[in-house]
Amino acid sequence: MTMTLRKNITFVWMALISAGLVFLLWGKAHSDANIATFDHIKVHRIDVVEADGKPRFIISDKAHMPGIIWDGKEFHHATRDEGGVLFFDDDGTEAGGMSWSDKHKDGHYGAYSGILFDQYHQDQTMGLQYRDQDGQRVAGLEVWDRPDESLMPAVELNDQYVNAKTPEEKAAIKQKMNDLSNRWKDHFAERVFAGKQVGDALVRLNDAHGKARLVMKVAADGHPVVQFLDADGKVTKEITDK
């Protein structure tokens, strides 16, 4: 092998190795280009979105909290007045969330925190909640019935009501909202509560109309009781430790 040939081969190998190193370094730099590390970050809102732009997870303060998002489109929310976390399904529709808040006025206070999970395209169907009004506390697991229909008509009507220009428009939309509420009223019952209510630890099972039919309770004084109730709320049978 001639000296010239050796030099050419060496040059080719060096070129290939150099190109490989450049490629590896470029690949690492490119892969890390969208990754950032922070020791401390302050934000008012963070949106985690899918490739098509639909939301998956939102963390927000009170001022920047969105309304209700349905199929990726935002509508006015009638009662949302706190910051927290929202979850979304594959359709970009709200599927639950976490929130916490407290209010103080004239020496009184109220506090709330909860994590809620929505029925598909409906309102919350299961949740862990804490509610407190001047020390009268309720905390526990709750399960609700919801209509089999989509919540979308209520979302649209509420949005129309907020954007209505005249009292006549508002009155007509309000009537539609009332009609829908009346049609659904028998499908929004609490079915299960398990937790603490003021001084009692209890499990309450309700019928489809939200009326308690079986209650298992340990009162603040430590005495347990099991109650069976009829549809009118009358105790038909009671078991105690006495």
Side-chain angles (χ1 to χ4, degrees):
M1 184 181 294
T2 66
M3 183 66 69
T4 301
L5 182 58
R6 286 199 194 96
K7 287 182 178 179
N8 288 339
I9 292 173
T10 302
F11 174 79
V12 170
W13 274 109
M14 291 299 294
L16 289 172
I17 292 170
S18 298
L21 287 172
V22 169
F23 177 79
L24 289 173
L25 291 172
W26 177 86
K28 185 179 188 315
H30 183 72
S31 65
D32 292 347
N34 294 322
I35 299 175
T37 301
F38 301 94
D39 292 323
H40 188 173
I41 182 170
K42 285 186 178 182
V43 298
H44 293 294
R45 175 168 158 172
I46 296 175
D47 291 16
V48 177
V49 301
E50 298 291 356
D52 60 1
K54 287 182 178 177
R56 175 60 74 175
F57 188 84
I58 292 177
I59 304 173
S60 180
D61 66 5
K62 180 177 177 179
H64 296 83
M65 199 69 164
I68 184 168
I69 297 178
W70 200 278
D71 282 334
K73 181 181 178 182
E74 185 174 348
F75 298 86
H76 179 81
H77 195 291
T79 59
R80 182 167 287 152
D81 188 32
E82 66 276 325
V85 179
L86 298 176
F87 314 133
F88 298 86
D89 63 18
D90 291 341
D91 300 326
T93 297
E94 189 173 323
M98 295 187 291
S99 61
W100 44 93
S101 62
D102 61 84
K103 292 179 172 59
H104 303 263
K105 186 177 181 180
D106 300 329
H108 298 278
Y109 78 89
Y112 168 84
S113 61
I115 176 169
L116 301 169
F117 300 95
D118 297 345
Q119 180 177 302
Y120 177 69
H121 283 198
Q122 252 294 336
D123 210 344
Q124 64 258 24
T125 189
M126 181 177 70
L128 289 170
Q129 297 193 93
Y130 154 71
R131 298 182 294 273
D132 191 338
Q133 185 62 51
D134 292 330
Q136 299 297 300
R137 302 181 187 94
V138 177
L141 168 70
E142 296 177 75
V143 178
W144 300 271
D145 273 343
R146 297 301 180 197
D148 291 329
E149 299 178 56
S150 169
L151 190 65
M152 187 57 173
V155 173
E156 291 179 320
L157 284 172
N158 181 70
D159 203 65
Q160 292 170 18
Y161 182 82
V162 171
N163 295 313
K165 305 299 183 184
T166 66
E168 291 76 17
E169 284 183 276
K170 285 187 176 291
I173 297 168
K174 186 67 173 179
Q175 183 58 55
K176 291 180 181 179
M177 294 170 72
N178 290 337
D179 292 342
L180 184 62
S181 178
N182 288 332
R183 194 175 87 222
W184 284 352
K185 67 180 181 180
D186 292 330
H187 302 279
F188 280 84
E190 180 192 74
R191 298 303 304 275
V192 178
F193 175 85
K196 180 184 176 184
Q197 205 163 51
V198 189
D200 299 333
L202 64 90
V203 174
R204 182 176 62 242
L205 306 180
N206 304 334
D207 62 21
H209 301 290
K211 295 181 179 180
R213 302 302 297 270
L214 174 62
V215 177
M216 296 175 285
K217 178 173 64 175
V218 176
D221 61 8
H223 290 293
V225 61
V226 178
Q227 295 177 324
F228 299 84
L229 303 94
D230 63 19
D232 296 321
K234 180 181 177 181
V235 177
T236 59
K237 184 178 181 180
E238 185 172 275
I239 303 172
T240 71
D241 63 340
K242 298 178 180 179

